[in-house]
CSV table of all heavy atoms in Angstrom, one decimal:
chain,number,residue,atom,x,y,z
A,27,ASN,N,-17.5,-12.4,11.2
A,27,ASN,CA,-18.9,-12.4,11.7
A,27,ASN,C,-19.6,-13.6,11.0
A,27,ASN,O,-20.4,-14.3,11.7
A,27,ASN,CB,-19.6,-11.1,11.3
A,27,ASN,CG,-19.1,-10.0,12.2
A,27,ASN,OD1,-18.7,-10.1,13.3
A,27,ASN,ND2,-19.2,-8.8,11.6
A,28,ALA,N,-19.3,-13.9,9.8
A,28,ALA,CA,-19.9,-15.1,9.1
A,28,ALA,C,-19.5,-16.4,9.8
A,28,ALA,O,-20.3,-17.3,9.8
A,28,ALA,CB,-19.5,-15.1,7.7
A,29,ARG,N,-18.3,-16.4,10.3
A,29,ARG,CA,-17.8,-17.7,11.0
A,29,ARG,C,-18.3,-17.7,12.4
A,29,ARG,O,-18.1,-18.7,13.1
A,29,ARG,CB,-16.3,-17.7,11.0
A,29,ARG,CG,-15.7,-17.9,9.6
A,29,ARG,CD,-14.2,-18.0,9.8
A,29,ARG,NE,-13.6,-18.3,8.4
A,29,ARG,CZ,-12.4,-18.8,8.2
A,29,ARG,NH1,-11.7,-19.2,9.3
A,29,ARG,NH2,-11.9,-19.0,7.1
A,30,GLY,N,-19.0,-16.7,12.9
A,30,GLY,CA,-19.5,-16.7,14.3
A,30,GLY,C,-18.4,-16.3,15.3
A,30,GLY,O,-18.6,-16.6,16.5
A,31,VAL,N,-17.3,-15.8,14.9
A,31,VAL,CA,-16.2,-15.4,15.8
A,31,VAL,C,-16.7,-14.1,16.5
A,31,VAL,O,-17.0,-13.1,15.8
A,31,VAL,CB,-14.9,-15.2,15.1
A,31,VAL,CG1,-13.8,-14.8,16.1
A,31,VAL,CG2,-14.5,-16.5,14.5
A,32,LYS,N,-16.7,-14.0,17.8
A,32,LYS,CA,-17.1,-12.8,18.5
A,32,LYS,C,-15.8,-12.0,18.8
A,32,LYS,O,-14.8,-12.5,19.0
A,32,LYS,CB,-17.8,-13.2,19.8
A,32,LYS,CG,-19.1,-13.9,19.7
A,32,LYS,CD,-20.1,-13.1,19.0
A,32,LYS,CE,-21.4,-13.8,18.9
A,32,LYS,NZ,-22.4,-13.0,18.2
A,33,SER,N,-16.1,-10.7,18.9
A,33,SER,CA,-15.0,-9.8,19.2
A,33,SER,C,-14.6,-9.9,20.7
A,33,SER,O,-15.3,-10.7,21.4
A,33,SER,CB,-15.4,-8.3,19.0
A,33,SER,OG,-16.4,-7.9,19.9
A,34,SER,N,-13.6,-9.2,21.2
A,34,SER,CA,-13.1,-9.4,22.6
A,34,SER,C,-14.2,-9.1,23.6
A,34,SER,O,-14.2,-9.7,24.7
A,34,SER,CB,-11.9,-8.6,22.8
A,34,SER,OG,-12.2,-7.2,22.7
A,35,ARG,N,-15.1,-8.3,23.2
A,35,ARG,CA,-16.2,-7.9,24.2
A,35,ARG,C,-17.5,-8.7,23.9
A,35,ARG,O,-18.6,-8.3,24.4
A,35,ARG,CB,-16.5,-6.4,24.2
A,35,ARG,CG,-15.3,-5.6,24.7
A,35,ARG,CD,-15.6,-4.2,24.8
A,35,ARG,NE,-14.4,-3.5,25.3
A,35,ARG,CZ,-14.4,-2.2,25.7
A,35,ARG,NH1,-15.5,-1.5,25.5
A,35,ARG,NH2,-13.3,-1.7,26.1
A,36,GLY,N,-17.4,-9.7,23.0
A,36,GLY,CA,-18.6,-10.5,22.7
A,36,GLY,C,-19.5,-10.0,21.6
A,36,GLY,O,-20.5,-10.6,21.4
A,37,GLY,N,-19.1,-9.0,20.9
A,37,GLY,CA,-19.9,-8.4,19.9
A,37,GLY,C,-19.5,-8.8,18.5
A,37,GLY,O,-18.7,-9.7,18.3
A,38,GLU,N,-20.0,-8.0,17.5
A,38,GLU,CA,-19.6,-8.3,16.1
A,38,GLU,C,-18.4,-7.5,15.8
A,38,GLU,O,-18.1,-6.6,16.4
A,38,GLU,CB,-20.8,-7.9,15.2
A,38,GLU,CG,-22.0,-8.9,15.3
A,38,GLU,CD,-23.0,-8.7,14.2
A,38,GLU,OE1,-22.8,-7.8,13.4
A,38,GLU,OE2,-23.9,-9.5,14.2
A,39,TRP,N,-17.7,-8.0,14.7
A,39,TRP,CA,-16.6,-7.4,14.2
A,39,TRP,C,-17.0,-6.2,13.3
A,39,TRP,O,-17.9,-6.3,12.6
A,39,TRP,CB,-15.7,-8.4,13.5
A,39,TRP,CG,-15.0,-9.3,14.4
A,39,TRP,CD1,-15.5,-10.5,14.8
A,39,TRP,CD2,-13.8,-9.2,15.1
A,39,TRP,NE1,-14.6,-11.1,15.6
A,39,TRP,CE2,-13.6,-10.3,15.8
A,39,TRP,CE3,-12.8,-8.2,15.0
A,39,TRP,CZ2,-12.5,-10.5,16.6
A,39,TRP,CZ3,-11.7,-8.3,15.8
A,39,TRP,CH2,-11.5,-9.5,16.6
A,40,HIS,N,-16.1,-5.2,13.3
A,40,HIS,CA,-16.3,-4.0,12.4
A,40,HIS,C,-14.9,-3.8,11.8
A,40,HIS,O,-13.9,-4.3,12.3
A,40,HIS,CB,-16.8,-2.8,13.1
A,40,HIS,CG,-18.1,-3.0,13.8
A,40,HIS,ND1,-19.3,-3.0,13.1
A,40,HIS,CD2,-18.4,-3.3,15.1
A,40,HIS,CE1,-20.3,-3.3,13.9
A,40,HIS,NE2,-19.8,-3.5,15.1
A,41,ALA,N,-14.8,-3.0,10.8
A,41,ALA,CA,-13.5,-2.7,10.2
A,41,ALA,C,-12.6,-2.1,11.2
A,41,ALA,O,-11.3,-2.4,11.3
A,41,ALA,CB,-13.7,-1.7,9.0
A,42,THR,N,-13.1,-1.2,12.1
A,42,THR,CA,-12.2,-0.6,13.1
A,42,THR,C,-11.7,-1.7,14.1
A,42,THR,O,-10.5,-1.5,14.6
A,42,THR,CB,-12.8,0.5,13.8
A,42,THR,OG1,-14.1,0.0,14.4
A,42,THR,CG2,-13.1,1.7,12.9
A,43,THR,N,-12.5,-2.6,14.5
A,43,THR,CA,-12.0,-3.6,15.5
A,43,THR,C,-10.9,-4.5,14.8
A,43,THR,O,-10.0,-4.9,15.5
A,43,THR,CB,-13.1,-4.5,16.0
A,43,THR,OG1,-13.9,-5.0,15.0
A,43,THR,CG2,-14.0,-3.6,17.0
A,44,VAL,N,-11.1,-4.8,13.5
A,44,VAL,CA,-10.1,-5.6,12.8
A,44,VAL,C,-8.8,-4.8,12.7
A,44,VAL,O,-7.7,-5.3,13.0
A,44,VAL,CB,-10.6,-6.1,11.5
A,44,VAL,CG1,-9.4,-6.6,10.6
A,44,VAL,CG2,-11.8,-7.0,11.5
A,45,ARG,N,-8.9,-3.5,12.4
A,45,ARG,CA,-7.8,-2.6,12.3
A,45,ARG,C,-7.0,-2.6,13.6
A,45,ARG,O,-5.8,-2.7,13.6
A,45,ARG,CB,-8.2,-1.2,11.9
A,45,ARG,CG,-7.1,-0.2,11.8
A,45,ARG,CD,-7.7,1.2,11.5
A,45,ARG,NE,-6.7,2.2,11.8
A,45,ARG,CZ,-6.5,2.7,13.0
A,45,ARG,NH1,-7.2,2.3,14.0
A,45,ARG,NH2,-5.5,3.6,13.2
A,46,ASN,N,-7.8,-2.4,14.7
A,46,ASN,CA,-7.1,-2.3,16.0
A,46,ASN,C,-6.4,-3.6,16.3
A,46,ASN,O,-5.3,-3.6,16.9
A,46,ASN,CB,-8.2,-2.0,17.1
A,46,ASN,CG,-8.7,-0.6,16.9
A,46,ASN,OD1,-8.1,0.2,16.3
A,46,ASN,ND2,-9.9,-0.4,17.6
A,47,LEU,N,-7.0,-4.7,16.0
A,47,LEU,CA,-6.4,-6.0,16.2
A,47,LEU,C,-5.1,-6.1,15.4
A,47,LEU,O,-4.0,-6.6,16.0
A,47,LEU,CB,-7.3,-7.2,15.8
A,47,LEU,CG,-6.8,-8.6,15.8
A,47,LEU,CD1,-6.8,-9.0,17.3
A,47,LEU,CD2,-7.6,-9.5,15.0
A,48,MET,N,-5.1,-5.7,14.2
A,48,MET,CA,-3.9,-5.8,13.3
A,48,MET,C,-2.8,-4.8,13.9
A,48,MET,O,-1.6,-5.2,13.9
A,48,MET,CB,-4.2,-5.5,11.9
A,48,MET,CG,-5.3,-6.4,11.3
A,48,MET,SD,-4.8,-8.1,11.3
A,48,MET,CE,-4.2,-8.1,9.6
A,49,ILE,N,-3.2,-3.6,14.3
A,49,ILE,CA,-2.2,-2.7,14.8
A,49,ILE,C,-1.6,-3.2,16.1
A,49,ILE,O,-0.4,-3.1,16.3
A,49,ILE,CB,-2.9,-1.3,15.0
A,49,ILE,CG1,-3.1,-0.7,13.6
A,49,ILE,CG2,-1.9,-0.4,15.8
A,49,ILE,CD1,-3.9,0.6,13.7
A,50,ARG,N,-2.4,-3.8,16.9
A,50,ARG,CA,-1.9,-4.4,18.2
A,50,ARG,C,-0.8,-5.4,17.9
A,50,ARG,O,0.2,-5.5,18.7
A,50,ARG,CB,-3.0,-5.0,19.0
A,50,ARG,CG,-2.6,-5.7,20.2
A,50,ARG,CD,-3.7,-6.2,21.1
A,50,ARG,NE,-4.4,-5.1,21.7
A,50,ARG,CZ,-4.0,-4.4,22.7
A,50,ARG,NH1,-2.8,-4.6,23.2
A,50,ARG,NH2,-4.7,-3.5,23.3
A,51,ASN,N,-1.0,-6.2,16.9
A,51,ASN,CA,-0.1,-7.3,16.7
A,51,ASN,C,1.0,-7.1,15.7
A,51,ASN,O,2.0,-7.7,15.8
A,51,ASN,CB,-0.9,-8.5,16.2
A,51,ASN,CG,-1.7,-9.1,17.4
A,51,ASN,OD1,-1.2,-9.8,18.2
A,51,ASN,ND2,-3.0,-8.8,17.4
A,52,TYR,N,0.8,-6.1,14.8
A,52,TYR,CA,1.8,-5.9,13.8
A,52,TYR,C,2.2,-4.5,13.6
A,52,TYR,O,2.9,-4.1,12.7
A,52,TYR,CB,1.3,-6.4,12.4
A,52,TYR,CG,0.9,-7.9,12.5
A,52,TYR,CD1,-0.4,-8.3,12.5
A,52,TYR,CD2,2.0,-8.8,12.6
A,52,TYR,CE1,-0.7,-9.6,12.6
A,52,TYR,CE2,1.6,-10.2,12.6
A,52,TYR,CZ,0.3,-10.6,12.7
A,52,TYR,OH,0.0,-11.9,12.8
A,53,GLY,N,1.8,-3.6,14.5
A,53,GLY,CA,2.2,-2.2,14.4
A,53,GLY,C,1.2,-1.6,13.3
A,53,GLY,O,0.2,-2.1,13.0
A,54,ALA,N,1.6,-0.5,12.8
A,54,ALA,CA,0.9,0.2,11.8
A,54,ALA,C,0.7,-0.7,10.5
A,54,ALA,O,1.7,-1.2,10.0
A,54,ALA,CB,1.5,1.5,11.4
């Protein structure tokens, strides 16, 4: 959020969106 990177839907990042991103790419 500090870097101005938007989430996939154009919103802000939250812990859960980061977690979902990590799970999508690296599994659990």
